[in-house]
Each structure stands twice: as structure tokens, then as C-alpha cells.
């Protein structure tokens, strides 16, 4: 029994060690030529600023290959986004969906759209008004990491919430 | 020992059924194996029959030779190896001279300028070993700055007379010209002759443009653009480069547009609420019809040449595969069954094959299969090949090949449907998403 | 006894097992294949190569990704690791007996080859049978390498200064080979060829040099020895062949076969017909035919002069099947070119049987050449 007990403790310790947050504050805005609506800067220390949203709350979630389901981490980040959006009602958002380069162009466009939509529905389920959110997909056209390896692909499979001042037009 | 061997041989051959010589008939033979090799041919410079035509005499011959060699079915015997000379279009050909250098086909021609300054080109095709002309000589007339088109038309005639295939040289390709790093690619619509000449830009590079498609008559182009911030479909007139956006609902994205064979309908994908389905729109009225209603992704459609059926890509089975359904919608039948993911299906202009992109084991391939899914053949393999388009004769495929890594670049390649003759299309810089237009009138 | 004890059960089971193994174990032992000497002798080297090519061809060209991954996946890697003993054993087997060595691997010898086959018949039969039995079991043939030309037999790349031509001709300088009608000839060799089109998708990922070097060396050697020995060769095979056909003539004339059909002696031997067929084959280029023409069979008639040259004006199409008239015209033109080109110097046909081969009907059936 002691043997089992030690094993359990060891396993629990290892599991908890895995719970580090991957660095989502990778520098740079979400790419988006023509995404409409420039996020305004403002100090990251100001909790009502888009910079705070980007860096402290986290403006992006990542996906597994071919998937548009939200992982536990993704949901946690989106919970934070939803709260921020409820507290800062002056902003609307465009959710950009992306895919990695391992797919054909048009299918990846559709896949990015699925991902963006998954985020939108989740935010709506957390209370954000639907008319404040729009979705767009860039497919594989705007990667943020350009090496051709899984480490880069993982970063590219993302949905980024880009803020815009004022209600959506 | 020797006697025993010959006796054995004699007995064996006697035991074989007598095939050829039946009573009194000719010797009969069946030839079932041959060789597959490029046919050696010669195109000496054309005879210049008027002043100022000298320039065109050799330029036209060069384009004809390049077109034919570029198919991989012909091999040019260069001028330095020629023994005979063609000095007059109408005098008989000394075939022995051309047999000596093993030219099996010979193209002779003459060019002159008529009173209006137009080019007049005459040509003949000769079967050197049979010592006779193939078909009848022809004459083409055109503007001087259309000399390349005249040369392509001559090459088309030679090609189809000898092989029996339709030609494809007098055609254009619309594509996306690319520049810049992978994460900030600048893209613009461009059009060129199939061999890379006469490049012209149709849009600027201020927004992302994707996947253009030629109309069946080659006068218009459909494409997707992010001009408004969202993917939308635009219709562009090639001659005056005027364009307009197709009407769409708010909150939707539309992309992957194709023309119907009669040029009046657009078949495309529309995404609403995260779900992508196939729709058609009548160009004149703007009225749209929904073709599929599945929770899966339906995209990258392509009409059959008679417009009765559509092949498209769907992940309803869990991974992207190819399906065929009636053009008006309805039940779809899966036709791809190999290991891997299939996409971007395009129906051959001959109606017999579907070309596609396949991903399997981390590699991309361009392949073809029959329209019932049988006889799948892969023609290429690389890090990233995608987006095939058919030449007007259904024999050659052009596609995009992107290299990997940070400095990866996209280029256009062509390959014969036998899988032979893979070669790059000469473009200035990166290029992707080609769409091959029809043979021009 | 009313009670069976454990010992008896075990003993009975063991006995049953031993008996069963003795009776049924033989099923799993492979018997030596039956030998049919007659058929082995009758296969010419070209046909043998054609059989081998046909058996391996479907694997190389067929659906790369049909649901049979083990067979497909193993082919390339197993080749380079050389794990299987059977195919490895085959080449040494063949090399030990030089005459059978030459038969499957000599692509560049059209006319002399049938003579060789007939001469070495019995020595050939045993290894040929083993090889024939092995072929269906193994898929590990050397992968065809991409080459600009596709022909029934693979041809190694020729030396750089040798001009490419359809027929291999040795270099003949005026003072050599008194037998040869002293015209100078350049050394020519058939262009490098593979047996199939190898698309980029089928090219093996691993170069597999170990497996492909050995077979390649032999054709090179054969080609070299051929060009070296060529001046002396032309007279020799002729006499061999004549000896065989004489023996044949003797054997056949014993039968009351109506030799009076053509009023001039025995019909062409299978070897001679074969030589003609192979000669025409080498010039029958279907590479520039449309796919429709590749589905069209044409029957072509030709009249031959006594020199073995075809009368160009007499070449005509008798009938066609499988395609439109337009496709048949294309196919006919390719057939006509084949007959004329390879007959430019005259085909090798026995003059004394001229009456037998003055009128020839050739059926050109491209079925096997479609999308090779």
C-alpha cells in the first residue's frame, strides 16, 4: 500500500507540473491585414485597455490539428476574455480563425472559420452579446510562425480576438 | 551434346502451335510492346518571304520548337545538327537529309508581311521516314504583336496532327503572383500565356486575393478577395479589368468560386455560423440557391464539362474526401477511398478524370482518378503540392508547389497525366493558384 | 476402466499431436516445383523479360494508397535493408552459371539471343524454373529508375561518346572485321531506357543503391562485352542460327507438313519471327500518341523487298479496332514509322525463305503500353 501511495503522489506531482501556461503573450499583434478596426494601444497596466486584453487576459487560443474544439486551457482563456468584454462594453471584437499550412487553401479557410465560430459561440455562451462579435477566417494565409515544423504549426492553429473600439458597424 | 540440344529445340518448336502461316497467307505478326520516347523533330527557321519578316522567321520557329519540346513528347534536333536547309517553302524536301539526322517529323514554314502590315505565316508538317506530308499545309494571319499566338497555333496544329490530342499552347493562365515573407505575403492577380510570356497584373497587392478561376470562354475571372476585410467573391472582366463583388449576406464569408460550363452560374462555398456549404448564384440576377446542408465543411467544388454533376471536397466522413453529386444538389457519393486526405478536385475537360490534391504520411501529391474513384494514380510528391488545373486538352496539369521552411516559396509546375515531364513554369517570383483558360479562338 | 487417469490423458494427447504433426506437417513444406522442360526452352529472352516486367509492373504502377499498406510499404524499405534471403540468393544463383546469366539480363542483343537460348537449353531449364517459381512470391525486384525512354527491356546508359540510335551497332573501322561489308560505322547504342514510366510519386524515397547496383552492372558488362566482341560476333550467331534452323528443317521435313504451300521450303522459325517482331518493336514509339490512339489496334500490311527492306509505298492499314478513324490514323502512322525506321537497313530475315515473308501483316496492339 505504501508503494501505491508513493506512486500516486509522484503521479500527482508530475500532473501538476504539466500545468504551466504556455506563453500566450508572444509578442506582436495578431496578424490581420485589413481586419478592420485597429486595436488602440494604451498601457498594459490599464485593465481597460486593449493592450491589457492582449497581454494579461490573452487574446488567442490554440487548436489541435484539424480540430476546432476548445481545450480546457482555451476555455479558461475565453472565460477571461468574456469577463473583460462584459466589463468593457465599449469594445466589439472580430475573431480571426487561422490554420497551419498542412492543408489545401480553401479547406483551411473553412477550418479557420470553424475555429473562429467555436470561439464566438463560447463567448456568447458566457454572456457576451452576439452583435458585438464578428468572425473572419484567414485560413493559412497569415501564419505567425513560419518554420515548417510542428512547433510553428501549433502556434499557427489559432483563433485571435481582435478588439475594435465602438460597436460593430 | 549439341545434337541432343538441337533435337530438343526442334521438338520444342514443333510442339508450339503454328501461329503465323496459315494456308497460303501472309506472314502474321503481333506487336504488343513498343517504346515510349520523345519523338525527334526539326523546325528550321521559317523562310522569310518579305523584308522585315526575318526577325519573325526565327522567333516563330523557336516558339514552336519550345512548345513541342515542352510537352515531353517531342525532342528537338537543334539547328547545328541539321544537314539540309529549307530555302523555299514550295520546293520539295530532301528527306534523306532529315533522315540522316534521325528527325522523324519536320515542320517547314514561311512568313511574310502583307500590305496591311499583318503577319502571314504558312507551314507544312512532314513525316520524314514515310517521305510524305502529314495533313495539308495551313496559313495563318495575325497582327505583328500577336506573333506568339500565331506560333502557338502552328505548334498546336503540329502537336495534334502527330499525336491526335487536342492542342493547348494558345492558351492563358490566371494565377496569384506572390512576393514577400511567408507571414506577410503580398498577393496580386496576374494573367500570362501558358508559357509565362505576356504577363499582366489584374489587381494590386494591397489585399489578399486567392484562387482565381477562368470563365469557360476566357473573358472573365472569378476570385476571392479580402478587400472588405472578409473573404468575398469578385467577378472581373479580363479585357477592361473592371470588377464587381457578388452580393452576399452580412455575417457570412464566401469563397472558392467556379464558373458553370455555360458561364452563367457561379458555384461557391459560403460560411455561416462556422459551417461551410455549397451554393450557386445566377450571375445576372444575383439569386442564390443552397446545394448542401451538412454540418461538415463542403468546399472546392468543380463542374463536370457537361454541367450535370459536381465533384467537391467534404469532411463529413471525418476527414476531407471527394464526393460527386448532381449539379442541382442531392445525395453525394464518395469517390476517394485511399489512405489520406483528398481535396481540390477538378474535373478534366475531357470528362474522364478528376485531378486532386492528396495528403498522406506527411507528403502532398497531385493525382488523378476516374470519376468513379477507380484507377487512382499519383503523379507528384513533395512537401506541399496543391491546386491542380487542367490544360484545355485534358492531358497536362498545372499546380502549385511550395517549398518548406522560412524561405519557402510557391511556384507553378506542369506535369503530363502519365506523370512524366514535370517542369516548372517560368514566372518572375512566387506564384500560386493557377487556373488554365481555354484554347483561344 | 471406469476412471481415466491424468497420465493417460497426457500420453494420449501427446501421441495424437505427434501423429498429427507427422501427417499434416508435410503440408507446410514446400515441394520442389514441377519442371516442364519444353516450355522453359521455348521462352525467348525477350518474352522472359516481358513476363518478369509484367509481373512486377502492376506493383510499381498500381494505386499507391489502396488499403494494402503492408505490401506497398514494405517494398521500398525492404529492398534497401536486404532482409530477405530469397531475392538476394537469386542473382548469385544466376551468376554461377554464365549461360543462364545472359538470358534475362541481355536487353541489347536482339538477333543473337534466340540462338543462345536454344543452345543452352538444358543448363538453362533448372535455374529458370527456380526463378520462375520465386517470381510470384517476391515483390522485391529492383525498382525501375526514371529514364527518358521507356522500352520493354531496360537499357543501361551508354557511354557518353556513343551516339544514340535505335539499333546497337558496334564501332567498325575499315580494317576490322573482314566479314563486315567494310563501311565505317559509328558506335551506336540504344538510348538509356527503363521498363516503365516512373512518376515522381513512385520514386523510392531511399536511394536503395545496394539493391540496384548489382543488376545494373550486368547489362553494362553485357553491353561492353558486346561492343568489344561485336566485330567478331556477326558471323558467329549466323552460323549458330543456321545450324538450328537446319536441324529444324530436317526435323520438320520428316513430317508430312504441307511444305508445298509456298513452294519454297520451310516456314519461318519462331526465332526468326521473333527477331523481326523485336526489331519492329524497337522503333514503335507510342510516346507521342493520344490516349485514344493508345487504345486503338491497327493491322498494317507491308510488302518486303528481297533485301529485307520494306516497300514504303506498300504500307497500308487493313483494319482497325478500338478507336475512332482519327485515332486509327495516328496509330497507323506510328506503326508505319516503326516499320520504315527499323527496316532502313533491312530486317534480318533468311533470304532463302523470302517467299514466306514477302507479304507481312502486322497487328499493332498498344494495350500493354497504355499509361505504363
Amino acid at each position: 500500500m505504501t508503494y501505491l501511495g508513493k506512486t500516486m503522489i509522484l503521479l500527482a506531482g508530475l500532473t501538476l507540473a504539466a500545468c504551466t501556461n504556455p506563453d500566450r503573450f508572444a509578442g506582436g499583434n495578431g496578424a490581420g491585414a485589413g481586419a478592420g478596426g485597429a486595436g488602440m494601444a494604451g498601457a498594459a497596466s490599464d485593465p481597460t485597455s486593449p493592450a491589457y486584453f492582449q497581454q494579461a487576459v490573452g487574446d488567442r487560443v490554440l487548436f489541435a490539428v484539424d480540430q476546432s474544439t476548445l481545450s480546457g486551457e482555451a476555455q479558461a482563456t475565453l472565460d477571461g476574455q468574456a469577463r473583460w468584454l462584459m466589463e468593457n462594453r465599449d469594445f466589439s471584437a472580430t475573431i480571426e480563425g487561422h490554420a497551419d499550412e498542412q492543408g489545401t487553401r480553401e479547406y483551411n479557410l473553412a477550418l479557420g472559420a470553424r475555429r473562429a465560430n467555436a470561439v464566438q459561440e463560447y463567448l456568447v455562451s458566457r454572456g457576451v452579446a452576439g452583435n458585438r462579435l464578428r468572425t473572419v477566417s484567414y485560413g493559412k494565409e497569415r501564419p505567425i510562425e513560419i518554420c515548417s515544423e510542428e512547433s510553428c504549426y501549433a502556434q499557427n492553429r489559432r483563433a485571435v480576438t481582435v478588439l475594435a473600439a465602438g460597436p460593430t458597424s | 551434346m549439341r545434337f541432343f540440344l538441337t533435337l530438343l529445340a526442334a521438338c520444342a518448336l514443333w510442339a508450339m502451335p503454328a501461329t503465323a502461316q496459315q494456308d497460303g497467307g501472309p506472314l502474321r505478326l503481333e506487336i504488343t510492346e513498343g517504346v515510349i520516347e520523345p519523338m525527334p523533330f526539326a523546325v528550321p527557321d521559317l523562310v522569310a518571304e518579305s523584308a522585315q519578316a526575318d526577325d519573325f522567321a526565327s522567333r516563330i520557329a523557336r516558339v514552336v520548337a519550345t512548345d513541342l519540346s515542352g510537352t515531353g513528347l517531342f525532342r528537338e534536333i537543334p539547328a547545328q545538327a541539321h544537314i539540309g536547309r529549307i530555302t523555299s517553302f514550295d520546293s520539295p524536301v530532301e528527306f534523306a537529309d532529315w533522315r540522316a539526322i534521325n528527325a522523324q517529323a519536320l515542320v517547314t514554314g514561311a512568313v511574310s508581311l502583307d500590305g496591311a502590315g499583318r503577319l502571314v505565316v504558312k507551314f507544312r508538317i512532314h513525316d520524314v521516314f514515310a517521305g510524305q506530308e502529314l495533313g495539308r499545309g495551313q496559313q495563318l494571319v495575325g497582327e505583328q504583336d500577336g506573333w506568339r499566338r500565331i506560333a502557338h497555333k502552328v505548334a498546336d496544329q503540329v502537336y495534334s496532327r502527330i499525336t491526335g490530342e487536342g492542342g493547348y499552347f494558345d492558351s492563358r493562365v490566371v494565377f496569384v503572383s506572390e512576393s514577400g515573407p511567408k507571414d506577410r505575403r503580398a498577393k496580386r492577380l496576374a494573367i500570362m500565356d501558358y508559357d509565362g510570356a505576356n504577363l499582366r497584373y489584374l489587381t494590386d497587392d494591397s489585399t489578399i486575393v486567392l484562387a482565381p478561376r477562368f470563365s469557360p470562354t476566357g473573358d472573365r475571372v472569378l476570385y476571392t478577395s479580402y478587400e472588405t476585410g472578409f473573404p468575398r467573391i469578385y467577378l472581373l472582366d479580363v479585357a477592361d479589368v473592371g470588377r464587381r463583388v457578388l452580393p452576399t449576406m452580412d455575417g457570412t464569408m464566401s469563397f472558392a468560386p467556379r464558373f458553370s460550363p455555360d458561364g452563367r452560374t457561379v458555384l461557391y462555398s459560403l460560411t455561416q455560423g462556422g459551417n461551410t456549404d455549397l451554393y450557386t448564384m445566377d450571375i445576372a440576377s444575383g439569386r442564390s440557391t443552397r446545394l448542401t446542408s451538412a454540418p461538415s465543411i463542403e468546399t472546392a467544388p468543380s463542374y463536370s464539362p457537361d454541367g450535370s454533376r459536381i465533384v467537391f471536397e467534404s469532411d463529413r466522413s471525418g476527414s476531407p474526401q471527394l464526393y460527386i453529386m448532381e449539379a442541382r444538389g442531392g445525395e453525394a457519393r464518395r469517390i476517394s477511398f485511399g489512405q489520406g486526405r483528398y481535396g481540390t478536385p477538378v474535373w478534366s475537360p475531357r470528362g474522364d478524370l478528376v485531378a486532386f490534391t492528396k495528403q498522406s504520411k506527411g507528403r502532398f501529391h497531385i493525382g488523378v482518378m476516374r470519376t468513379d474513384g477507380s484507377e487512382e494514380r499519383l503523379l507528384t510528391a513533395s512537401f506541399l503540392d496543391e491546386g491542380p488545373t487542367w490544360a484545355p486538352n485534358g492531358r497536362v496539369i498545372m499546380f502549385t508547389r511550395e517549398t518548406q521552411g522560412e524561405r519557402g516559396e510557391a511556384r507553378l509546375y506542369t506535369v503530363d497525366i502519365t506523370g512524366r515531364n514535370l517542369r516548372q513554369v517560368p514566372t518572375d517570383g512566387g506564384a500560386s493558384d493557377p487556373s488554365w483558360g481555354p484554347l483561344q479562338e | 476402466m471406469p476412471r481415466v487417469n491424468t497420465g493417460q490423458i497426457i500420453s494420449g494427447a501427446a501421441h495424437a499431436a505427434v501423429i498429427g504433426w507427422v501427417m499434416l506437417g508435410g503440408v507446410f513444406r514446400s515441394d520442389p516445383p514441377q519442371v516442364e522442360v519444353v516450355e522453359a526452352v521455348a521462352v525467348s529472352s525477350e518474352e522472359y523479360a516481358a513476363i518478369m516486367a509484367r509481373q512486377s509492373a502492376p506493383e510499381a504502377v498500381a494505386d499507391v494508397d489502396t488499403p494494402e499498406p503492408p505490401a506497398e510499404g514494405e517494398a521500398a524499405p525492404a529492398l534497401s535493408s536486404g532482409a530477405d534471403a530469397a531475392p538476394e540468393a537469386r542473382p548469385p544463383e544466376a551468376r554461377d552459371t554464365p549461360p543462364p546469366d545472359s538470358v534475362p539480363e541481355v536487353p541489347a542483343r536482339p538477333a543473337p539471343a534466340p540462338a543462345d537460348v536454344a543452345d543452352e537449353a538444358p543448363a538453362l531449364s533448372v535455374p529458370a524454373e527456380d526463378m520462375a517459381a520465386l517470381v510470384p512470391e517476391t515483390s522485391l525486384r529492383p525498382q525501375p529508375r526514371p529514364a527518358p525512354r521507356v522500352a520493354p527491356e531496360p537499357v543501361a546508359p551508354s557511354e557518353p561518346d556513343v551516339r544514340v540510335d535505335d539499333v546497337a551497332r558496334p564501332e567498325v573501322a575499315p580494317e576490322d572485321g573482314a566479314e563486315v561489308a567494310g563501311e565505317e560505322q559509328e558506335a551506336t547504342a540504344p538510348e538509356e531506357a527503363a521498363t516503365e514510366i516512373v512518376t515522381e510519386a513512385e520514386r523510392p524515397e531511399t536511394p536503395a543503391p545496394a539493391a540496384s547496383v548489382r543488376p545494373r552492372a550486368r547489362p553494362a558488362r553485357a553491353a561492353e562485352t558486346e561492343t568489344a566482341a561485336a566485330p567478331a560476333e556477326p558471323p558467329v550467331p549466323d552460323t549458330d542460327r543456321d545450324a538450328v534452323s537446319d536441324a529444324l528443317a530436317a526435323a520438320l521435313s520428316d513430317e508430312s507438313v504441307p511444305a508445298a504451300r509456298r513452294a519454297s521450303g520451310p516456314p519461318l522459325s519462331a526465332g526468326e519471327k521473333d527477331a523481326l517482331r523485336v526489331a519492329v518493336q524497337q522503333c514503335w514509339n507510342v510516346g507521342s500518341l493520344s490516349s485514344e490512339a493508345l487504345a486503338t489496334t491497327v493491322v498494317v500490311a507491308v510488302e518486303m523487298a528481297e533485301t529485307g527492306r520494306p516497300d514504303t509505298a506498300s504500307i497500308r492499314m487493313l483494319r482497325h479496332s478500338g478507336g475512332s478513324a482519327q485515332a486509327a490514323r495516328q496509330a497507323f502512322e506510328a506503326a508505319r514509322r516503326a516499320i520504315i525506321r527499323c527496316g532502313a537497313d533491312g530486317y534480318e530475315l533468311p533470304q532463302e525463305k523470302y517467299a514466306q515473308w514477302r507479304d507481312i501483316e502486322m497487328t499493332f496492339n498498344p494495350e500493354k503500353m497504355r499509361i505504363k
Side-chain angles (χ1 to χ4, degrees), chain B residues 80-359:
Chain B
Q80 23 318 3
H82 295 182
I83 299 175
R85 295 265 170 271
I86 305 293
T87 46
S88 148
F89 183 61
D90 290 309
S91 19
V93 175
E94 282 299 329
F95 289 110
D97 287 343
W98 302 96
R99 274 184 215 127
I101 60 171
N102 198 28
Q104 293 176 30
L106 170 69
V107 181
T108 58
V111 59
S112 59
L113 290 167
D114 71 3
R118 294 181 309 171
L119 279 173
V120 179
V121 174
K122 302 182 286 196
F123 70 96
R124 288 202 177 96
I125 312 167
H126 308 269
D127 183 328
V128 171
F129 280 84
Q132 48 182 251
E133 215 177 301
L134 282 178
R136 310 181 50 180
Q138 283 197 18
Q139 176 170 296
L140 300 167
V141 183
E143 298 303 323
Q144 282 188 39
D145 51 11
W147 69 270
R148 289 193 79 101
R149 280 199 59 193
I150 296 179
H152 288 315
K153 282 194 166 338
V154 172
D156 273 330
Q157 287 298 314
V158 177
Y159 174 80
S160 54
R161 186 60 191 76
I162 294 180
T163 67
E165 298 278 19
Y168 65 96
F169 306 123
D170 187 22
S171 59
R172 296 189 294 179
V173 172
V174 65
F175 66 102
V176 172
S177 171
E178 301 190 353
S179 62
K182 246 171 148 176
D183 51 355
R184 284 262 129 214
R185 272 277 154 74
K187 296 191 166 188
R188 50 197 305 199
L189 228 52
I191 190 172
M192 63 181 182
D193 291 352
Y194 96 98
D195 59 358
N198 288 331
L199 174 70
R200 185 158 68 102
Y201 292 108
L202 301 173
T203 67
D204 61 22
D205 61 0
S206 57
T207 88
I208 300 174
V209 288
L210 304 175
R213 286 293 167 107
F214 249 123
S215 64
T217 47
D219 60 339
R220 294 166 297 164
V221 171
L222 282 168
Y223 67 101
T224 305
S225 166
Y226 281 74
E227 212 173 294
T228 60
F230 295 84
R232 296 244 187 280
I233 296 172
Y234 287 75
L235 178 64
L236 178 143
D237 185 291
V238 176
D240 63 25
V241 200
R243 72 186 195 285
R244 65 178 175 90
V245 67
L246 295 191
T248 41
M249 298 181 278
D250 235 12
T252 66
M253 289 178 271
S254 42
F255 54 98
R258 312 336 189 191
F259 281 96
S260 60
D262 64 7
R264 299 214 293 255
T265 309
V266 179
L267 172 62
Y268 63 103
S269 278
L270 185 121
T271 305
Q272 192 171 28
N275 185 31
T276 307
D277 274 306
L278 295 176
Y279 288 70
T280 54
M281 180 184 294
D282 180 74
I283 294 181
S285 67
R287 189 156 351 144
S288 69
T289 313
R290 184 172 187 159
L291 291 186
T292 64
S293 305
S296 46
I297 290 175
E298 273 71 34
T299 188
S302 170
Y303 275 105
S304 60
D306 65 1
S308 66
R309 289 184 295 166
I310 292 172
V311 61
F312 63 96
E313 176 183 350
S314 163
D315 65 358
R316 57 185 63 176
S317 71
S319 72
Q321 300 291 331
L322 304 182
Y323 292 79
I324 285 188
M325 73 177 174
E326 297 293 305
R328 58 174 182 276
E331 208 174 297
R333 191 166 50 88
R334 178 169 163 176
I335 64 167
S336 62
F337 293 100
Q339 294 243 0
R341 304 149 55 118
Y342 294 77
T344 74
V346 260
W347 213 302
S348 154
R350 293 204 278 217
D352 56 349
L353 296 173
V354 170
F356 55 87
T357 302
K358 178 173 179 178
Q359 277 171 265

Side-chain angles (χ1 to χ4, degrees), chain A:
Chain A
M1 269 323 173
T2 46
Y3 201 83
L4 180 62
K6 282 182 192 164
T7 316
M8 293 295 292
I9 293 169
L10 185 62
L11 277 176
L14 286 172
T15 313
L16 285 170
C19 282
T20 47
N21 274 329
D23 187 27
R24 282 213 196 82
F25 310 134
N29 344 333
M40 290 182 308
S45 53
D46 176 5
T48 62
S49 72
Y52 180 85
F53 179 85
Q54 263 176 30
Q55 290 161 35
V57 177
D59 65 349
R60 64 194 59 199
V61 294
L62 303 182
F63 296 88
V65 179
D66 273 350
Q67 297 304 317
S68 56
T69 44
L70 298 167
S71 65
E73 286 173 42
Q75 292 184 358
T77 307
L78 292 178
D79 287 339
Q81 288 190 9
R83 275 195 299 275
W84 192 94
L85 284 167
M86 304 288 275
E87 286 163 14
N88 298 278
R89 295 185 177 262
D90 292 342
F91 291 94
S92 59
T94 302
I95 302 157
E96 299 176 354
H98 299 262
D100 67 31
E101 68 179 348
Q102 300 177 97
T104 57
R105 200 174 309 283
E106 284 155 347
Y107 181 80
N108 278 0
L109 246 171
L111 184 57
R114 238 190 214 161
R115 288 172 175 158
N117 181 257
V119 167
Q120 181 188 41
E121 284 183 355
Y122 188 86
L123 290 176
V124 166
S125 77
R126 284 289 177 266
V128 182
N131 61 6
R132 293 173 64 194
L133 302 173
R134 294 204 295 189
T135 57
V136 71
S137 167
Y138 285 94
K140 58 176 181 172
E141 305 304 310
R142 287 285 182 262
I144 50 170
E145 297 295 336
I146 58 178
C147 75
S148 296
E149 279 151 42
E150 177 53 26
S151 58
C152 290
Y153 295 154
Q155 296 298 313
N156 291 332
R157 294 190 295 266
R158 66 197 191 281
V160 182
T161 309
V162 179
L163 296 175
T168 50
S169 47

